[in-house]
Amino acid sequence: MLYLPLVTPAISAMTASAHIYLDLVRRALNLAGEELRSHRVIGEIMVHERSVILVCYSWADDRTRIEADIALEGRGGIVRQAVVGAGRSVGLPNDWVEDILPAAFGHGPSASARFPTGLYPSWERPGLRVLAAPANLLVPMTFLASLRLRDDIGYDALEPAIRIAAQAGIKRAERLRRLVAPYLERRAKEDGELARTLEKRLSQFEYALDRFGCGLVLNATPKSLADVAALAGEDGDCFGLASGEFQQAFYVEKDKAVQQAMLDPVPSPTGDPKDDAWLGAIGEHLAQRWGLEAPPWTQEAAFMGGQRPYFWPDETLARDIQIVETPPAFRRRLLFTYAEPLMNAKFPNDRRSECHSGNEGAAPQLSPEMLLR
């Protein structure tokens, strides 16, 4: 059964429609939970402020271990159909979950006392649960569910979770990786296909941030690697974006004296040893590729990397290629990547042929319509 507190004026976040519909909401959730129990799945409705994410959990048990399966709910999902059908049967509109349910949760991303946890299930008695979910729960659960996308799930369905992640300061794939890693540590090691899907989804995350206008924004356009370091020192998440912007500016500049001046200013260490090693490698590599003088600062210990190797992208299947093809400025800093690690849209065409095997050294580019496949 569901137990709701008495509705009082103190529940300031409750809208007029939620007051009117509260009993109907309770009845609909009960009915949906009963239906989901018959299918032996767990439905979950996570509410964060005015956003709602529906997830379906199921599992397989071969008496040696339980394997969980997590899936996002699209329009045709079993949880979505159950709650919409239950709402319709008691007189609620089809979009009641998004339009009415969030108002019952009070203010704040994790307010929970205003509403029950739902038909809280056990493994033996599945059903439906409803909770006010903080970003550090909703984002990893949505990401785990995205590893098994349904045909009716696209970027638009993921937009609420993407915006919540951005609001929580998760604006880089690496930051998202750290958030979800504890949930996947065992499975990713045992399942090579899962590991590949994980990397694919992480790269899609940054694309989705940009698609919805939630990505990183630089305070200024870097004109030198010293500017890149300054921007990264203010916000470490900006290093990739800032270095990319610098590279594009460097590539479109035709005057060698100006290019040299873009490399020469001495950066202040960012505080991140890997980023500092990349700064040194970028300065040295661009000087070598464009026939310039490698700035003396690139040889300073702060910009020469440490004892641990880094691979970018960090994909197991690419390791052998990276070990073989990584150019000198990067490999001497134990940064292993592609034959031409700094290629982007502004990279001069007349220099592409100098890369090993043509364009093989460049990171693969996927069109937007391919990203969710």
Side-chain angles (χ1 to χ4, degrees), residues 145-224:
S146 77
L147 297 176
R148 181 179 174 270
L149 281 179
R150 298 166 50 94
D151 291 339
D152 57 350
I153 297 291
Y155 276 111
D156 289 344
L158 297 173
E159 182 177 1
I162 297 295
R163 292 190 179 280
I164 290 168
Q167 291 168 6
I170 306 167
K171 295 188 176 183
R172 285 182 59 216
E174 190 57 38
R175 191 178 290 270
L176 178 60
R177 183 198 301 276
R178 291 196 296 268
L179 182 64
V180 303
Y183 300 93
L184 288 168
E185 184 173 0
R186 175 185 62 81
R187 291 180 60 200
K189 288 181 179 179
E190 297 176 359
D191 188 340
E193 183 61 32
L194 174 62
R196 288 188 289 274
T197 303
L198 174 63
E199 294 303 322
K200 183 177 179 180
R201 292 289 181 261
L202 286 169
S203 67
Q204 292 163 355
F205 172 69
E206 293 193 0
Y207 167 81
L209 284 169
D210 291 337
R211 176 188 177 105
F212 298 120
C214 301
L216 293 167
V217 178
L218 298 178
N219 295 327
T221 301
K223 302 297 185 183
S224 68

Side-chain angles (χ1 to χ4, degrees), residues 14-37:
M14 195 75 73
T15 65
S17 62
H19 280 292
I20 295 170
Y21 287 124
L22 189 54
D23 184 60
L24 298 180
V25 167
R26 175 169 47 195
R27 290 165 56 192
L29 290 175
N30 273 314
L31 290 171
E34 293 290 344
E35 179 178 345
L36 292 171
R37 276 203 295 274

Side-chain angles (χ1 to χ4, degrees), residues 137-333:
L137 171 67
L138 183 147
V139 173
M141 289 301 105
T142 304
F143 182 83
L144 294 180
S146 77
L147 297 176
R148 181 179 174 270
L149 281 179
R150 298 166 50 94
D151 291 339
D152 57 350
I153 297 291
Y155 276 111
D156 289 344
L158 297 173
E159 182 177 1
I162 297 295
R163 292 190 179 280
I164 290 168
Q167 291 168 6
I170 306 167
K171 295 188 176 183
R172 285 182 59 216
E174 190 57 38
R175 191 178 290 270
L176 178 60
R177 183 198 301 276
R178 291 196 296 268
L179 182 64
V180 303
Y183 300 93
L184 288 168
E185 184 173 0
R186 175 185 62 81
R187 291 180 60 200
K189 288 181 179 179
E190 297 176 359
D191 188 340
E193 183 61 32
L194 174 62
R196 288 188 289 274
T197 303
L198 174 63
E199 294 303 322
K200 183 177 179 180
R201 292 289 181 261
L202 286 169
S203 67
Q204 292 163 355
F205 172 69
E206 293 193 0
Y207 167 81
L209 284 169
D210 291 337
R211 176 188 177 105
F212 298 120
C214 301
L216 293 167
V217 178
L218 298 178
N219 295 327
T221 301
K223 302 297 185 183
S224 68
L225 287 173
D227 290 345
V228 172
L231 290 167
E234 296 174 2
D235 182 353
D237 286 345
C238 286
F239 179 81
L241 178 61
S243 61
E245 291 282 338
F246 166 77
Q247 291 161 36
Q248 293 194 39
F250 183 90
Y251 295 151
V252 300
E253 179 57 59
K254 303 303 181 184
D255 188 323
K256 284 188 174 292
V258 176
Q259 288 180 319
Q260 187 71 57
M262 297 173 76
L263 301 180
D264 284 343
V266 181
S268 298
T270 66
D272 184 318
K274 183 170 65 172
D275 288 350
D276 291 335
W278 270 91
L279 279 172
I282 292 171
E284 182 176 323
H285 180 75
L286 290 176
Q288 292 173 342
R289 291 283 275 109
W290 264 257
L292 305 171
E293 294 292 329
W297 65 262
T298 62
Q299 310 306 305
E300 295 177 5
F303 302 102
M304 285 300 298
Q307 302 301 311
R308 175 187 173 186
Y310 290 96
F311 294 84
W312 182 86
D314 190 8
E315 298 177 1
T316 303
L317 292 178
R319 290 286 173 88
D320 288 352
I321 296 174
Q322 292 167 334
I323 290 171
V324 171
E325 291 196 340
T326 296
F330 291 85
R331 67 189 308 113
R332 63 196 295 257
R333 292 170 172 82

